[in-house]
Amino acid sequence: MRARVYVTLKPSVFDPQGRVVADALVTMGYQDVQDVRQGKFFEVEIAATDAATAKTRVTEMADKLLANPVIESYRVEVLP
Amino acid sequence: MKFAVVVFPGSNSDYDAFYAASSVLGEDAALVWHKDTDLQGADVVILPGGFAHGDYLRTGAIARFSPIMASVQAFADRGGPVLGICNGFQVLLEAGMLPGAMVRNDRIKFVSRLVPVRVEQTDTPFTVACTSQQVLYMPVAHGEGNYYADPETLAALEANRQVVFRYADAAGEVSPASNINGSLNNIAGICNRQRNVVGLMPHPERATEAQLGSADGRVILASAVKALASLSR
């Protein structure tokens, strides 16, 4: 099965990279850009027989390695 | 006494630390590969600077799972002094041996220069030979040294006197202007509650001889020698 993990900085953590990207977009002429937050995206192939098991396992992986819970939040979705 | 310097794939200040401990201080020192589990009877462990495992995923995120880290954790749990320098500090944060995390420097700059750092606490094994509020000139070289902790953690760090170093100016004044990377409360280094594990972004091992531009970092490593000497007495 395939799971997707989205990792983003918590709202309380300043994202210098996102700010620079936002500034670049405004410079390019996208004056309507208000903010950009940069994150990470993972696709995990996992040998699991059901979606619930896959979600539990991948959530554990996100918590232990893919994200740093001190500064980041994550969301896990298992593809049908 | 003996220093062990852990070598991760991508470490680049490992030999600087080895040289500072052995040639400058004249102590025993060993380079220990990250896949080993034996700290070779060391009295002090240094996690050096560099880009362990390429800094892939996050700085220090992969290195914390290196086999040697279980031994380093056990060594620290027994009260052994552990110093994380730059990338080594990031590894200690990822390993949960120190609280908080690093994010990218504000203004997106990789900062590489000699900076003044104020010593806040002298009751750790790596500052016991310093004087309180002493200003040390040490080089920094990092893109991700912007220290972050949630408000509760930050308050606890301050209340427990765990902030060991702050970015300051030449006079020792700590202000937003002397904050080189956006770190909360100008934090350049912290220790754990037990005070035996210390992490800092500046590089004391690269500032141990006048020819290098500063010999101020020497006192950090000399502190460990002093701390252990007083323990064995």
Side-chain angles (χ1 to χ4, degrees), chain B:
Chain B
M1 61 167 284
K2 186 171 182 178
F3 286 82
V5 179
V6 175
V7 182
F8 297 101
S11 292
N12 65 13
S13 274
D14 44 346
Y15 196 79
D16 301 60
F18 176 84
Y19 172 82
S22 58
S23 296
V24 180
L25 293 183
E27 302 291 337
D28 283 343
L31 292 164
V32 179
W33 182 233
H34 79 117
K35 284 193 172 169
D36 290 345
T37 52
D38 183 4
L39 289 168
Q40 303 184 20
D43 305 292
V44 180
V45 173
I46 296 179
L47 303 186
F51 300 84
H53 299 273
D55 275 354
Y56 289 178
L57 189 59
R58 292 178 306 277
T59 59
I62 309 291
R64 65 173 280 215
F65 297 105
S66 281
I68 196 68
M69 285 307 294
S71 307
V72 174
Q73 175 84 61
F75 177 81
D77 289 346
R78 292 194 300 272
V82 176
L83 181 66
I85 300 168
C86 195
N87 194 223
F89 183 13
Q90 294 163 337
V91 174
L92 290 173
L93 292 168
E94 281 284 342
M97 292 174 69
L98 289 173
M102 288 297 175
V103 292
R104 296 275 174 145
N105 295 348
D106 64 352
R107 300 181 291 263
I108 288 288
K109 276 185 181 164
F110 186 98
V111 188
S112 178
R113 58 188 162 94
L114 203 60
V115 298
V117 175
R118 190 174 81 188
V119 178
E120 304 289 275
Q121 307 295 337
T122 56
D123 59 345
T124 80
F126 299 100
T127 51
V128 74
C130 301
T131 54
S132 181
Q133 309 283 294
Q134 184 176 358
V135 175
L136 303 176
Y137 275 83
M138 295 185 281
V140 290
H142 60 249
E144 220 156 315
N146 183 350
Y147 181 80
Y148 176 86
D150 62 58
E152 296 75 32
T153 305
L154 190 65
L157 278 174
E158 295 287 0
N160 299 323
R161 302 185 303 105
Q162 287 173 255
V163 178
V164 182
F165 303 98
R166 285 186 222 270
Y167 300 111
D169 63 18
E173 205 64 43
V174 168
S175 70
S178 67
N179 193 343
I180 61 165
N181 56 23
S183 288
L184 292 175
N185 295 14
N186 281 48
I187 287 175
I190 59 173
C191 66
N192 62 350
R193 281 296 291 272
Q194 296 71 30
R195 312 188 85 72
N196 62 311
V197 177
V198 173
L200 79 168
M201 290 311 290
H203 286 271
E205 83 289 6
R206 293 186 195 169
T208 55
E209 292 173 302
Q211 296 96 309
L212 299 172
S214 170
D216 288 2
R218 190 170 173 161
V219 69
I220 304 294
L221 300 176
S223 285
V225 179
K226 183 180 174 183
L228 282 156
S230 67
L231 273 182
S232 60
R233 228 182 283 128

Side-chain angles (χ1 to χ4, degrees), chain A residues 8-75:
Chain A
T8 49
L9 280 175
K10 287 180 177 173
S12 58
V13 179
F14 175 60
D15 177 12
Q17 293 186 103
R19 170 64 65 82
V20 168
V21 172
D23 288 350
L25 288 169
V26 171
T27 304
M28 289 163 67
Y30 296 102
Q31 309 291 344
D32 44 346
V33 169
Q34 293 175 324
D35 193 22
V36 173
R37 304 280 291 173
Q38 184 172 323
K40 296 190 185 95
F41 170 69
F42 301 86
E43 280 187 343
V44 181
E45 298 288 342
I46 181 166
T49 47
D50 63 282
T53 308
K55 183 153 187 174
T56 304
R57 299 283 290 169
V58 175
T59 299
E60 196 180 305
M61 294 172 205
D63 201 58
K64 283 185 180 169
L65 180 65
L66 304 182
N68 178 346
V70 175
I71 46 171
E72 295 168 326
S73 316
Y74 58 84
R75 181 164 59 84

